[in-house]
Amino acid sequence: MTWMVLRTHPREARVPEMFDASPSPGQTRAPTLPAAQPVPERSAKQRDSFFDNAKYLAIVLVAMGHSWEALYADSRILRSLYIFVYTFHMPAFIIISGYFSRSFDMRPDRLKRLITGVAVPYVVFETVYSLFRDHFGQDGETGITLLDPYFLSWFLAALFVWRLTTPLWKVVRRPLPLALAIAMLATVSPAISNDLDFQRLLQFLPCFVLGLCLKPEHFQRVRTRAMRIASVPIVAGALVVAWLVVPHINFGWFYRRDAAQEMGAPWWTGPLMTLALFACSVVLTACFLAWVPGRRMWFTSLGAGTICGYLLHGFVLKYTRWEGWYDAHWLHSPLGALLVTAFAVTVVTLLCTAPVRRVFRCVMEPKMEWAFKQDPAQQARERQHGGQKQPVREKAGV
């Protein structure tokens, strides 16, 4: 599975006002100089290191969780770590995606970015994953079906729908309780269509809506010394609980793909598990964010490429499983698990690097100017500046 995420719009990914400690752009005049001397401005497109760090670390957890799926059957410790990570890694990714979707509206330029940055990559990767599965796979499925997301591509389909509904969540009075009610109803509705992995889309919806409701000060409150200290016993307690419940719990609850009845549970457990998992995911996400560095680190720049790492690492993981790489007995040992984990971290890290982003930019960020009518407002701006095209385009990544 993949809270996820994802690359953000450069304009939306700019440093929030609360995080920007630089002075307002302007000019200062030295007493002895007749001309104004401009004060150096902070780049308008400068990214916030905290969020880039958070996205990179979250995608690393996603890759680690996927790499454990072939090994956890032999180790209770690994199974416990697996459900611990799955409790919050995608919720964290989705919450951040929701936070950077707050400014989305039905303005033509933003709709274009939604199509080029989310819908087009979904169509491309859903097609390529289907062909990849048909050639190498052993999943018993064949053919391309754009309505049935395969493996990781569900997130792009969900993000497209979530972002389209953003204006609706902005006008309702209690968006988060409403989203939770929808998710709870989804868990007792086995008749919900599998198209676009709609069950998962609805069950993860509260995480996205929570992100829409957050403000910069909420992240500031999490990033305190007191919260970092408090997170240590919370995480330790969560690991103990995971160890205790792992023999008795159905992992399907963490995937959010099925209704309660489809997992053989009483219908009333669906709403209860929805609330419990949401509460746990929010608490553990807060603990995770409390320890995310706010300064620039060696991996900060990789946060801009998490959508590449997310979508591409699935090919490596699927191929290694289909080719029997995990059949070696020594891999099913503590040392083997550590090596597999290190391999997954290395792969997803490399896939987030700038060279990989440049290669796949034509898919992840296609311009597709030929496909759209030009915005009259943009035409007016160009006429005002003597026909020179203005750099107003924003990326629509995750």
Side-chain angles (χ1 to χ4, degrees), residues 304-342:
T306 49
I307 191 62
C308 281
Y310 174 79
L311 290 172
L312 296 175
H313 87 279
F315 292 104
V316 179
L317 292 177
K318 283 291 186 182
Y319 180 79
T320 55
R321 293 196 67 176
W322 290 334
E323 292 300 308
W325 289 23
Y326 290 90
D327 293 342
H329 180 72
W330 65 272
L331 281 179
H332 298 261
S333 65
L335 177 60
L338 288 175
L339 291 176
V340 168
T341 303

Side-chain angles (χ1 to χ4, degrees), residues 72-382:
Y72 68 59
D74 302 317
S75 170
R76 182 170 177 176
I77 293 178
L78 206 55
R79 292 200 307 276
S80 303
L81 290 173
Y82 181 81
I83 66 169
F84 169 77
V85 167
Y86 261 73
T87 301
F88 73 94
H89 70 346
M90 277 310 294
F93 210 62
I94 295 168
I95 288 170
I96 294 174
S97 297
Y99 177 73
F100 283 109
S101 298
R102 294 171 301 155
S103 64
F104 181 83
D105 52 29
M106 294 299 178
R107 214 172 66 186
D109 59 328
R110 287 180 174 153
L111 288 174
K112 292 176 186 177
R113 293 194 302 274
L114 181 63
I115 293 172
T116 58
V118 180
V120 171
Y122 170 74
V123 171
V124 171
F125 276 90
E126 177 61 25
T127 301
V128 174
Y129 262 117
S130 298
L131 296 175
F132 180 75
R133 174 201 61 205
D134 293 349
H135 185 71
F136 294 103
Q138 304 168 6
D139 291 349
E141 302 178 26
T142 57
I144 300 171
T145 168
L146 296 180
L147 291 180
D148 186 14
Y150 179 71
F151 196 28
L152 302 175
S153 56
W154 74 268
F155 177 74
L156 290 178
L159 182 62
F160 183 83
V161 176
W162 290 334
R163 196 165 280 173
L164 273 181
T165 64
T166 295
L168 300 177
W169 298 112
K170 290 180 179 179
V171 300
V172 298
R173 188 179 295 273
R174 297 286 186 268
L176 187 56
L178 177 58
L180 279 169
I182 292 173
M184 293 163 67
L185 289 173
T187 61
V188 297
S189 306
I192 287 180
S193 171
N194 289 328
D195 290 349
L196 297 182
D197 220 342
F198 215 67
Q199 185 70 252
R200 182 180 274 170
L201 184 155
L202 294 177
Q203 291 194 38
F204 274 118
L205 176 63
C207 297
F208 183 81
V209 174
L210 174 60
L212 292 176
C213 297
L214 293 178
K215 298 178 181 179
E217 53 264 32
H218 294 127
F219 290 94
Q220 288 284 49
R221 292 170 188 169
V222 168
R223 298 167 58 191
T224 61
R225 184 172 181 271
M227 183 61 194
R228 285 192 291 273
I229 294 173
S231 68
V232 175
I234 293 174
V235 169
L239 287 170
V240 171
V241 171
W243 168 270
L244 294 174
V245 305
V246 72
H248 314 289
I249 196 166
N250 186 334
F251 284 16
W253 291 114
F254 300 92
Y255 304 146
R256 274 96 158 177
R257 284 193 302 237
D258 302 301
Q261 298 93 320
E262 294 174 292
M263 291 186 286
W267 69 268
W268 51 266
T269 59
L272 293 179
M273 287 298 293
T274 297
L275 293 175
L277 284 175
F278 180 74
C280 292
S281 65
V282 170
V283 170
L284 291 178
T285 296
C287 294
F288 165 72
L289 293 175
W291 284 95
V292 171
R295 64 186 183 280
R296 188 167 182 82
M297 309 290 289
W298 66 266
F299 54 80
T300 300
S301 61
L302 301 177
T306 49
I307 191 62
C308 281
Y310 174 79
L311 290 172
L312 296 175
H313 87 279
F315 292 104
V316 179
L317 292 177
K318 283 291 186 182
Y319 180 79
T320 55
R321 293 196 67 176
W322 290 334
E323 292 300 308
W325 289 23
Y326 290 90
D327 293 342
H329 180 72
W330 65 272
L331 281 179
H332 298 261
S333 65
L335 177 60
L338 288 175
L339 291 176
V340 168
T341 303
F343 174 74
V345 173
T346 301
V347 167
V348 78
T349 298
L350 293 175
L351 293 176
C352 291
T353 56
V356 176
R357 298 202 304 271
R358 285 194 293 269
V359 170
F360 287 92
R361 184 168 294 161
C362 60
V363 176
M364 304 292 189
E365 306 167 16
K367 293 184 178 179
M368 294 181 63
E369 299 294 344
W370 54 269
F372 302 106
K373 297 178 181 178
Q374 191 165 10
D375 184 3
Q378 171 67 13
Q379 290 179 316
R381 284 192 293 267
E382 291 179 12

